Amino acid sequence: MNVTSHDVAQLAGVNQSTVSRALRGAPGISADTRRRVLEAAESLSYVPSDAGRALSTRRTGSIGILSGELTNPFYPELVEPIRESLLAAGYRPVLIPDSPDEPFDPDRWARGVFDGMILATAREGSHVAAGLRRHRIPFVFVNRAISGVEADRCVSDNLAGAESAARLLAELGHTQIAAIMGPNDTSTGEERDTGFREGLRRAGIGMPDDHVERGEFTFDVGYSAATRLVSRVSPTAIFCANDVLAFGATDALLESGASHKTMLVGYDDISSAKWRVYNLTTVHSDISRMARTAVELLLSRLAEPHLPYRTVTLDTSIVRRRLLRP
């Protein structure tokens, strides 16, 4: 005879609905109640049915994580603490890589599949947020956001972080400064561009248009952009709007022989930024804290759908590693 959640509820001395909530780690269940349910389930060798649970609770127990391409080392560092936090809360994380060539279609893949989604990548003009809202799937932005879309979000203080990078270069005496910016249809690309230019303006330093390159946040873009900048304007410093761009720029500077006279500054402070081959001065953003805060925001939204939307903006700091004066 199959053991049911009713049997577990009787043994634990709780309502049947409490069994489901306790087993999936839902908020509002006391530690003592959760312990009794878990002990009862274990003693009866009860295995919950995902299909039955979804029908009775209208929940699937799955959370989608929409991520940028995993060849970018930033995303594994962001996704892993998200995954760990969701598992600890009793949810099944489902990773969905997204790219401009194969964009995620919420009408096809999300309805009835996910209780909620964490959007770790987002571009202006994307229809993902609108599709999720149409299907009443709660979501939270992390690292990026889309202007005009009301939602919970946890982001780095991109304006202040990029401004601090400009301030550092000015303090070191650099005036021939160039930049490799990210795509302007992303909040990270646009805000870091704005913040860096504002920092230069406050320092009384100009940055002509031919000192700026822009592209996707990739190694190849960093390499090709730095190659062009070195041959065109010979900057003494280059700000890169993320660390991966700076890694590509490092290769270009080594190849051109300009690495000894050109300082690089990145953004994010991913783990490989401290490798000796890069030893990158960069803007530190607490990626793990950002990830875990995003999960907390989504779990709060699932528990209380009518809460006011919240934005959590994390402070940044400069990590000084390789410093060069002009």
Side-chain angles (χ1 to χ4, degrees):
M1 181 176 177
N2 291 333
V3 176
T4 68
S5 60
H6 177 73
D7 300 319
V8 177
Q10 279 193 320
L11 182 59
V14 299
N15 295 326
Q16 192 171 359
S17 62
T18 302
V19 171
S20 174
R21 293 169 60 213
L23 291 179
R24 72 172 189 270
I29 302 293
S30 70
D32 180 64
T33 298
R34 183 173 285 110
R35 178 187 56 76
R36 297 205 320 271
V37 170
L38 290 173
E39 288 176 353
E42 183 176 0
S43 69
L44 295 172
S45 299
Y46 172 67
V47 178
S49 162
D50 287 346
R53 180 170 58 190
L55 287 172
S56 64
T57 67
R58 297 181 183 271
R59 294 284 180 93
T60 67
S62 296
I63 300 294
I65 308 169
L66 189 66
S67 165
E69 295 178 85
L70 297 179
T71 51
N72 181 335
F74 170 83
Y75 286 105
E77 292 197 24
L78 180 65
V79 166
E80 180 58 19
I82 291 176
R83 186 191 71 85
E84 290 175 352
S85 297
L86 289 173
L87 286 172
Y91 284 93
R92 181 190 305 110
V94 179
L95 179 62
I96 308 159
D98 186 51
S99 73
D101 297 331
E102 296 182 39
F104 173 70
D105 182 356
D107 293 322
R108 182 179 181 186
W109 298 112
R111 187 176 184 181
V113 177
F114 301 120
D115 293 339
M117 287 197 66
I118 295 176
L119 307 184
T121 183
R123 288 179 178 265
E124 296 295 331
S126 168
H127 301 296
V128 171
L132 294 176
R133 191 141 286 163
R134 185 164 56 250
H135 295 305
R136 299 183 180 180
I137 300 172
F139 61 90
V140 58
F141 289 116
V142 59
N143 186 50
R144 291 186 186 171
I146 298 176
S147 60
V149 176
E150 288 190 328
D152 299 307
R153 66 192 68 189
C154 183
V155 295
S156 164
D157 192 341
N158 293 300
L159 292 170
E163 186 174 338
S164 69
R167 188 164 56 247
L168 171 64
L169 292 178
E171 289 171 357
L172 291 172
H174 292 278
T175 56
Q176 184 74 348
I177 297 171
I180 306 173
M181 299 298 185
N184 57 12
D185 64 346
T186 64
S187 59
T188 45
E190 186 64 24
E191 290 172 359
R192 292 173 192 180
D193 187 341
T194 300
F196 188 70
R197 290 176 188 272
E198 176 61 16
L200 292 182
R201 187 194 65 78
R202 292 187 178 186
I205 300 171
M207 188 171 64
D209 290 343
D210 65 351
H211 285 51
V212 180
E213 292 278 339
R214 185 183 298 280
E216 298 296 321
F217 288 114
T218 67
F219 181 97
D220 288 345
V221 166
Y223 174 86
S224 58
T227 299
R228 289 191 294 272
L229 288 170
V230 168
S231 64
R232 189 170 67 228
V233 299
S234 299
T236 63
I238 303 175
F239 170 67
C240 300
N242 81 344
D243 291 343
V244 179
L245 288 170
F247 297 162
T250 298
D251 252 26
L253 294 180
L254 287 169
E255 188 173 286
S256 68
S259 62
H260 68 287
K261 59 182 180 181
T262 310
M263 179 175 168
L264 293 174
V265 180
Y267 197 112
D268 286 323
D269 194 27
I270 61 177
S271 296
S272 42
K274 65 174 68 73
W275 292 358
R276 287 187 180 182
V277 66
Y278 298 122
N279 196 30
L280 182 66
T281 292
T282 186
V283 179
H284 175 78
S285 179
D286 193 333
I287 299 172
S288 179
R289 182 182 171 198
M290 185 188 299
R292 297 180 192 283
T293 301
V295 172
E296 291 170 5
L297 289 171
L298 182 60
L299 296 183
S300 295
R301 177 65 49 196
L302 291 172
E304 299 183 66
H306 302 296
L307 281 174
Y309 291 120
R310 291 182 289 168
T311 295
V312 178
T313 304
L314 301 182
D315 291 338
T316 60
S317 59
I318 285 281
V319 179
R320 299 177 179 229
R321 294 190 178 107
R322 182 173 182 264
L323 301 177
L324 288 177
R325 295 183 181 273

